[in-house]
């Protein structure tokens, strides 16, 4: 082997190494993520096509005397590239992890999304308030049926056919005998037929009348009350109502009874409460009178007790009926009953007692 060649071979090889190193350094500048580092590793170290591997393959053309040195230098280069790749890979992975943490970071100071909370329908609120007020006085709930026959809705309540009081309520008849109940008072008869005194019930429910304007709807709700026992008088009614209205409209609310007429009570009264808006001074709500009419009531007519097989010489009772929408409208300042039935959440959502 000739020495010039060998020197040339060595010098050629070392400049080739330097060039490879320069090329590697240059490429390292842009290999900032682990995928690029991997590609760089393939480019230099792939066992078939890698740049370093091709240097190994050139071993054949290296003069025998220089083979060892050449081999050592290739290995050195390989180690140098490996070291560099390892630190580049570590840096890239750290950076990727940091970026991932950053992108997945949760900012716990961001205000939460507002969740819309529903509320009970004003009718339900008022009904519950009424039940709460009476439940404390020992009343039980009786839920009657919406379809009744003529007997329970009228006749047994001392309102036989041709009785003028039938004109007070425009009835939806389903047949000659069946109808949509016009009043929860029909429940009184069912309860008195099936229970012996003492009786103390509340009966909330839907009622129906052919009536339709700003303050009347063909379907509305009432709450009936009935107490039957020995020695019940109008005084008991007033005492109980006083407590009821204070719970419903606030402490200090007073009641006033005015004579009225209902076939199923004798005497019958119309009950007013002192205006809960102005306290009785007179305002728009109470039309300047200081009083608001809220329910009908009275001492249960003897004939009604007898119709249900209750001895009217031993027992007496009082009853009352109150319109739930009417109270809701008064309490929440609603001027059209339809607003309660249109299910518009912009209206109903504002009423949350
Ligand atoms: N049922 C009557 C109505 O719908 C209200 C009523 C008045 C009920 C007097 C009663 C009562 O229990 O005693 O107009």
């Amino acid at each position: 082997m000739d020495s010039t060649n060998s020197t040339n071979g060595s010098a050629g090889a070392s400049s080739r190494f330097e060039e490879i190193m320069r090329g590697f350094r240059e490429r390292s500048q842009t290999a900032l993520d682990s995928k690029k580092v991997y590609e760089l590793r393939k480019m230099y170290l792939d066992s078939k096509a890698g740049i370093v591997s091709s240097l190994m393959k050139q071993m054949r053309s290296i003069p025998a005397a220089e083979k060892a040195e050449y081999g050592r230098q290739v290995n050195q280069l390989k180690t140098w590239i490996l070291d560099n790749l390892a630190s580049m890979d570590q840096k890239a992975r750290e950076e990727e992890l940091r970026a991932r943490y950053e992108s997945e970071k949760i900012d716990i100071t961001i205000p939460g999304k507002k969740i819309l909370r529903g509320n009970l329908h004003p009718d339900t609120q008022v009904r519950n308030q009424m039940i709460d007020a009476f439940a404390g006085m020992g009343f039980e709930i009786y839920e009657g049926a919406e379809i009744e026959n003529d007997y329970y809705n009228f006749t047994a309540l001392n309102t036989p056919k041709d009785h003028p009081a039938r004109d007070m309520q425009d009835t939806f008849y389903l047949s000659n005998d069946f109808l949509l109940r016009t009043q929860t008072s029909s429940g009184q008869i069912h309860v008195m037929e099936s229970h012996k005194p003492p009786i103390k019930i509340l009966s909330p429910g839907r009622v129906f009348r052919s009536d339709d304007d700003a303050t009347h709807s063909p379907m509305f709700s009432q709450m009936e009350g009935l107490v039957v026992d020995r020695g019940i008088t109008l005084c008991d009614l007033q005492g109980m109502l006083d407590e009821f209205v204070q719970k419903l409209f606030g402490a200090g609310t007073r009641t006033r009874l005015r004579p009225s007429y209902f076939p199923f009570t004798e005497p019958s009264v119309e009950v007013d409460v002192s205006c809960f808006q102005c306290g009785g001074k007179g305002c728009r709500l109470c039309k300047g009178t200081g009083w608001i009419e809220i329910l009908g009531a009275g001492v249960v007519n003897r004939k009604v007790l007898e119709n249900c097989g209750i001895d009217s010489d031993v027992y007496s009772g009082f009853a009352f009926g109150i319109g739930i929408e009417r109270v809701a409208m008064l309490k929440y300042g609603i001027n059209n009953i339809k607003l309660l039935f249109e299910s518009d959440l912009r209206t109903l959502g504002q009423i949350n007692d």
Side-chain angles (χ1 to χ4, degrees):
M1 186 176 294
D2 122 353
S3 66
T4 332
N5 234 352
S6 109
T7 330
N8 276 352
S10 230
S14 60
S15 72
R16 171 96 183 96
F17 286 161
E18 271 159 26
E19 204 183 304
I20 290 173
M21 286 167 82
R22 203 179 317 118
F24 182 84
R25 273 200 204 93
E26 221 162 79
R27 291 191 174 97
S28 316
Q29 305 294 312
T30 54
L32 298 174
D33 61 53
S34 53
K35 191 167 167 251
K36 291 231 175 74
V37 173
Y38 171 77
E39 281 161 6
L40 208 56
R41 176 186 299 269
K42 247 181 110 180
M43 182 177 203
Y44 282 85
L45 301 177
D46 184 78
S47 58
K48 278 191 196 125
I51 293 171
V52 173
S53 319
S54 69
L55 286 177
M56 282 299 201
K57 279 180 203 139
Q58 281 165 25
M59 188 69 100
R60 258 183 276 122
S61 59
I62 302 294
E66 287 167 23
K67 271 198 201 306
E69 173 60 14
Y70 180 81
R72 197 188 58 77
Q73 284 191 14
V74 173
N75 272 333
Q76 209 177 20
L77 176 66
K78 191 177 170 181
T79 312
W80 179 80
I81 288 176
L82 273 171
D83 288 351
N84 271 291
L85 284 172
S87 72
M88 284 161 69
D89 194 53
Q90 194 188 346
K91 246 192 236 155
R93 282 178 195 279
E94 278 168 7
E95 175 54 31
E96 279 157 14
L97 204 61
R98 199 197 57 74
R100 204 181 113 196
Y101 284 153
E102 188 61 36
S103 76
E104 290 177 1
K105 202 160 93 179
I106 294 170
D107 182 353
I108 56 166
T109 65
I110 290 175
K113 283 200 186 108
K114 208 172 171 196
I115 296 171
L116 283 181
R117 279 184 52 192
N119 55 274
L120 293 175
H121 190 281
D123 258 21
T124 311
Q125 293 183 41
V126 169
R127 192 192 62 198
N128 290 350
Q129 289 161 12
M130 289 180 180
I131 291 175
D132 280 354
F134 281 112
M137 299 183 232
F139 281 78
E140 282 174 53
I141 303 291
Y142 168 81
E143 285 197 51
E146 288 171 11
I147 294 178
E148 276 293 0
N149 63 24
D150 195 274
Y151 178 77
Y152 287 98
N153 195 78
F154 289 124
T155 308
L157 286 162
N158 194 34
T159 323
K161 285 213 164 71
D162 305 325
H163 192 292
R166 286 211 180 191
D167 293 344
M168 287 161 79
Q169 303 171 1
D170 269 328
T171 311
F172 289 117
Y173 281 92
L174 302 175
S175 67
N176 259 347
D177 197 29
F178 286 100
L179 46 83
L180 295 177
R181 69 173 170 193
T182 59
Q183 48 189 352
T184 45
S185 306
S186 53
Q188 290 187 27
I189 307 301
H190 288 286
V191 171
M192 287 191 282
E193 275 181 353
S194 58
H195 293 73
K196 288 197 166 12
I199 290 169
K200 217 172 181 186
I201 57 107
L202 273 186
S203 186
R206 284 195 193 99
V207 297
F208 307 84
R209 287 181 202 177
S210 181
D211 208 351
D212 200 358
D213 60 32
T215 54
H216 297 88
S217 153
M219 182 204 78
F220 60 107
S221 326
Q222 288 184 333
M223 173 89 68
E224 192 82 9
L226 173 71
V227 173
V228 183
D229 204 348
R230 288 168 199 266
I232 297 290
T233 69
L234 204 60
C235 279
D236 298 307
L237 171 70
Q238 180 148 31
M240 211 161 265
L241 289 177
D242 279 341
E243 197 163 332
F244 167 62
V245 299
Q246 298 207 15
K247 287 214 171 111
L248 198 63
F249 299 111
T253 311
R254 286 158 291 127
T255 57
R256 176 176 83 172
L257 308 190
R258 281 181 293 110
S260 183
Y261 174 77
F262 299 103
F264 33 89
T265 43
E266 182 57 39
S268 301
V269 291
E270 211 86 68
V271 180
D272 298 341
V273 291
S274 54
C275 180
F276 40 85
Q277 190 150 305
C278 63
K281 285 190 218 80
C283 66
R284 266 183 64 167
L285 186 66
C286 59
K287 302 193 181 84
T289 65
W291 295 95
I292 298 175
E293 181 195 319
I294 60 150
L295 59 88
V299 170
V300 179
N301 193 313
R302 276 171 172 265
K303 286 188 197 152
V304 175
L305 294 176
E306 296 297 335
N307 286 342
C308 302
I310 293 176
D311 186 343
S312 60
D313 287 332
V314 181
Y315 295 105
S316 58
F318 69 73
F320 59 87
I322 183 167
I324 293 179
E325 285 81 9
R326 181 170 159 72
V327 171
M329 290 170 74
L330 288 167
K331 263 192 99 164
Y332 306 123
I334 299 167
N335 57 12
N336 192 321
I337 193 168
K338 304 296 180 305
L339 291 171
L340 288 171
F341 298 126
E342 279 169 352
S343 298
D344 187 336
L345 294 182
R346 287 170 302 184
T347 314
L348 302 181
Q350 291 177 41
I351 302 167
N352 205 0
D353 230 354

